[in-house]
Amino acid sequence: MSVPLDQRAFRDAIGMFATGVSVIVTQVGSEVHAMTANAVSSVSLDPMLVLFCAAKKAKLARNLHEVKEFSINFLRSDQYALSTYFAGRWQDAVPPPYRLVAFEGALRLEGCLAALACETGRIIDGGDHWVTIGRVVALHQGIPPHKPLLFYGGRYRDIDFSDSRPAPDLSDVVDEPAHVFYGE
Ligand SMILES: Cc1cc2nc3c(=O)[nH]c(=O)nc-3n(C[C@H](O)[C@H](O)[C@H](O)COP(=O)(O)O)c2cc1C
């Protein structure tokens, strides 16, 4: 069934793509910004590159072009309050507890499922968002259980671990370093 192409329909369609939930943490001097983001993807294995998309009107985007290092923090299923808080939608007077700790030149959110420390590579104009590509410089894996927070259809969800099917083994897909061209 084809549906009219408008922003609501686009949001609904893209909302059918289940994702994890991350918090991007940037720092420029003493100014720290943290923003909930699910527009996050791996880009390349060799070199290790990831991307995130930040709305141009988001506070985090104000000094994005000055950001040298940032972290991407993958939230656990029980960290949905942090997702809502870092999306600026927290209603209570008292914020949910969290701590930022040093992480290879960046700051990471303590207690997450996993975190990536990145150096900013290219920042690409992506309509009303900036697409930031980062070179991964450090990895952090949190303690078990490894239960991610999911976002699907505009709601937070949990994985049902009782239901799974094998997927192809992709570990040998990239064996040759790719040529990546940076800069102008
Ligand atoms: C689950 C979830 C995922 C989100 N993903 C993104 C995203 O990928 N990019 C983005 O710009 N905003 C995203 N947002 C919205 C921002 O977190 C929110 O608008 C932003 O933090 C508010 O901007 P402010 O920091 O300027 O107040 C998401 C929000 C939620 C709850």
Side-chain angles (χ1 to χ4, degrees):
M1 182 181 75
S2 178
V3 291
L5 185 60
D6 59 35
Q7 289 187 3
R8 181 69 260 167
F10 174 58
R11 287 177 80 117
D12 290 348
I14 220 76
M16 295 290 109
F17 189 57
T19 66
V21 181
S22 79
V23 174
I24 311 293
V25 181
T26 63
Q27 189 178 21
V28 177
S30 60
E31 212 174 310
V32 177
H33 287 291
M35 187 191 82
T36 303
N38 69 336
V40 169
S41 178
S42 60
V43 173
S44 162
L45 198 54
D46 189 2
M48 281 176 258
L49 301 174
V50 289
L51 68 77
F52 74 87
C53 303
K56 288 180 178 174
K57 64 177 185 209
K59 288 194 197 85
L60 182 133
R62 286 183 194 161
N63 59 7
L64 187 59
H65 287 77
E66 275 79 64
V67 170
K68 293 194 169 61
E69 289 99 11
F70 62 90
S71 70
I72 303 180
N73 303 266
F74 302 130
L75 296 184
R76 295 175 182 274
S77 63
D78 58 2
Q79 290 179 312
Y80 53 90
L82 291 179
S83 169
T84 298
Y85 179 71
F86 290 115
R89 303 297 170 92
W90 187 251
Q91 302 290 337
D92 296 359
V94 183
Y98 71 88
R99 228 158 62 102
L100 296 173
V101 293
F103 182 36
E104 297 291 325
L107 292 171
R108 73 174 168 82
L109 200 50
E110 199 176 47
C112 289
L113 198 61
L116 313 174
C118 304
E119 283 174 1
T120 306
R122 292 178 64 186
I123 300 178
I124 301 161
D125 192 323
D128 57 9
H129 281 58
W130 293 114
V131 182
T132 301
I133 297 182
R135 277 178 283 250
V136 179
V137 294
L139 305 169
H140 170 83
Q141 192 172 35
I143 55 169
H146 295 136
K147 283 186 68 183
L149 178 61
L150 300 189
F151 189 63
Y152 173 74
R155 295 186 68 84
Y156 299 130
R157 318 263 180 173
D158 283 330
I159 285 185
D160 178 359
F161 279 97
S162 68
D163 186 17
S164 80
R165 285 161 296 279
D169 179 7
L170 301 174
S171 55
D172 62 347
V173 165
V174 176
D175 50 10
E176 288 290 321
H179 295 287
V180 174
F181 298 98
Y182 267 112
E184 302 311 313

